[in-house]
Amino acid sequence: MFKSLLLFGSLMFSLAASANCELSISANDAMQFSSKSLEVDKSCNSVKLTLTHTGQLPINIMGHNWVLSASDDVQELAIAGMQSGVDNRYVPQNDPRVLAATEVVGGGASTTIEFSIEQLSADKSYTFFCSFPGHFAVMQGDFKLI
Ligand SMILES: [Cu+2]
């Protein structure tokens, strides 16, 4: 009895230790994300992501956000985002192609979102990018469920 409890306990511990449901990424004044690839455990119900702008430039000059979409949608979404304007934080509103999106932050600021990944599939290709005008071509990376 004690032995099986011990076994159960260590199993729970290893499950908790392996599930990676929290992500953090930073962006800087040189228009770069700190990571080109992010991975989360597919068993996560939701993912908590924190974006930190480690630069000093103001939000209207070098603002950054973090937007998630299917990889095939990035280019069209980035254009639609630009057209949505600053009031909509450069993200088209009520667009189902947007799987997650943070606020836009300027130098020294950070923002956190929590989003569901239950409708995402480990077999599909997802990309995160910054939709601030002119940034998506260099500010993007892979988002994987593992
Ligand atoms: Cu940016």
Side-chain angles (χ1 to χ4, degrees), residues 27-28 31-33 62-65 130-133 135-136 139:
N28 62 20
M31 216 191 285
Q32 290 168 328
F33 278 126
M62 186 57 72
H64 298 307
N65 65 0
C130 174
S131 69
F132 193 88
H135 288 195
F136 83 95
M139 292 188 75

Side-chain angles (χ1 to χ4, degrees), residues 3-20 41 43:
K3 198 175 176 186
S4 65
L5 267 179
L6 201 68
L7 196 67
F8 181 69
S10 63
L11 180 68
M12 290 307 288
F13 177 77
S14 66
L15 277 176
S18 66
N20 174 27
D41 196 294
S43 67

Side-chain angles (χ1 to χ4, degrees), residues 74-108:
V74 170
Q75 184 133 2
E76 284 182 21
L77 263 187
I79 292 166
M82 202 179 333
Q83 291 165 345
S84 301
V86 62
D87 290 345
N88 291 314
R89 56 189 183 147
Y90 303 111
V91 175
Q93 302 302 291
N94 303 315
D95 188 321
R97 295 174 298 178
V98 178
L99 303 176
T102 69
E103 302 285 319
V104 177
V105 289

